[in-house]
Amino acid sequence: SRRLMSSGTVTVDLDKPYLLHKLESEPPMTAEVTRDELLGYYSLMFRMRRMEISADTLYKAKHVKGFCHLYDGQEAICVGMEAGATWGDSVVTSYRDHAWQLSRGDTVKGVLCELLGKQGGCAKGMGGSMHMYKADANFYGGNGIVGSQAPLGAGMAFAHKYNNDGCCAFALYGDGAANQGQLFEAANIAALLKLPVIFVCENNQYAMGTSLARGSACTDYYTRGQYMPGIKVDGMDVLAVREAVKVAKELAKEGPVMMEMDTYRYHGH
């Protein structure tokens, strides 16, 4: 439901409640948003969707060499997180990275150039689908090794803390990578050093083709941080993601946070 306010903003009631771990109060169940913000979120998500569908067509036509991991269905996570964060905050993610490259300031043409092996791509066509990168916007990939981005995220958070710049790091991974040992090692050192890092599990229900219940003894990924606060969010709702990320950023000033974005991807692995 929506309520129009005199300031020109609309108050939107969020549908699904957050689930919490080691937290007493949840993010707000309402979000105030303007018309321009809504149009901006929709426009960016629409461009991401069309870009990914185009990438899929090019891949199936064998114009894209190597792998091609698509993000369609998960766009609200990226756009919602960007709405709650700044480009001063560092981001590192898995090989499902095309949309993040776009959200951090690249163009659709630039992303497709990289996929097609053209010089106009971010790595001059030599990185391909899994290795998008935009250091000038604090986006550090695109990583082909499952779970490898978790310790990198902790390292980036160490840099933020060392430089005392008030920013944090986001380390995103899938539900398949949630069982990687390096994630727990990174979480441990982040908790010991109280690093401003937010570990984000993009739970799209399948690790490659294996359903989460068949691959994880515990599917409450937001609780996997044990000693750090956790939040489970409706990852299909851009405003719910935005509001949760704002809260997580505040919590990260005191140490690491673990989030789970409940989502679904519309293409195979």
Side-chain angles (χ1 to χ4, degrees):
S1 62
R2 297 169 295 174
R3 298 190 300 275
L4 184 63
M5 300 178 67
S6 58
S7 61
T9 63
V10 173
T11 300
V12 180
D13 294 327
L14 305 180
D15 293 327
K16 294 185 179 180
Y18 302 97
L19 298 182
L20 307 178
H21 173 68
K22 295 184 72 68
L23 285 172
E24 294 183 358
S25 59
E26 67 177 0
M29 284 303 297
T30 60
E32 293 185 8
V33 63
T34 67
R35 177 180 182 274
D36 289 343
E37 286 173 333
L38 286 172
L39 287 172
Y41 300 157
Y42 177 80
S43 175
L44 183 53
M45 288 191 289
F46 184 83
R47 278 193 292 139
M48 289 174 176
R49 178 67 58 88
R50 297 306 304 171
M51 179 182 73
E52 293 294 70
I53 291 173
S54 297
D56 181 59
T57 301
L58 290 167
Y59 182 70
K60 288 174 179 174
K62 300 184 179 180
H63 295 302
V64 175
K65 310 302 180 185
F67 295 101
C68 185
H69 302 285
L70 302 175
Y71 202 72
D72 52 325
Q74 301 181 206
E75 299 92 346
I77 298 174
C78 176
V79 175
M81 288 181 63
E82 291 284 38
T86 72
W87 281 10
D89 298 315
S90 301
V91 175
V92 63
T93 188
S94 67
Y95 39 70
R96 209 175 298 279
D97 58 355
H98 309 161
W100 279 99
Q101 183 74 9
L102 186 65
S103 76
R104 284 276 153 157
D106 207 340
T107 62
V108 171
K109 179 180 178 181
V111 173
L112 294 181
C113 278
E114 187 60 36
L115 289 175
L116 295 169
K118 305 298 183 182
Q119 191 172 8
C122 60
K124 298 185 178 180
M126 295 183 285
S129 172
M130 297 193 290
H131 301 289
M132 300 292 168
Y133 194 84
K134 206 169 189 309
D136 62 349
N138 285 317
F139 177 57
Y140 298 102
N143 291 270
I145 304 301
V146 175
S148 67
Q149 62 273 27
L152 293 176
M156 296 186 313
F158 184 89
H160 285 302
K161 183 169 184 175
Y162 184 85
N163 292 325
N164 195 29
D165 58 14
C167 296
C168 70
F170 293 94
L172 296 99
Y173 54 94
D175 49 287
N179 299 317
Q180 285 279 319
Q182 54 194 325
L183 170 62
F184 297 96
E185 295 172 31
N188 181 65
I189 194 69
L192 283 171
L193 299 180
K194 295 183 173 15
L195 300 180
V197 57
I198 301 173
F199 297 103
V200 182
C201 177
E202 295 183 285
N203 178 8
N204 61 26
Q205 317 305 319
Y206 290 91
M208 297 184 69
T210 303
S211 65
L212 57 92
R214 296 181 63 195
S216 296
C218 173
T219 58
D220 294 328
Y221 298 107
Y222 67 103
T223 69
R224 293 284 198 93
Q226 296 177 293
Y227 31 73
M228 66 181 69
I231 310 172
K232 183 175 182 178
V233 186
D234 179 8
M236 306 301 276
D237 186 334
V238 66
L239 296 179
V241 174
R242 185 190 73 174
E243 297 306 308
V245 164
K246 289 178 181 178
V247 171
K249 278 198 62 174
E250 287 299 312
L251 293 170
K253 293 177 180 179
E254 305 299 325
V257 180
M258 189 161 285
M259 304 184 73
E260 176 186 345
M261 303 293 183
D262 190 20
T263 186
Y264 191 78
R265 54 178 162 85
Y266 295 149
H267 272 97
H269 180 70

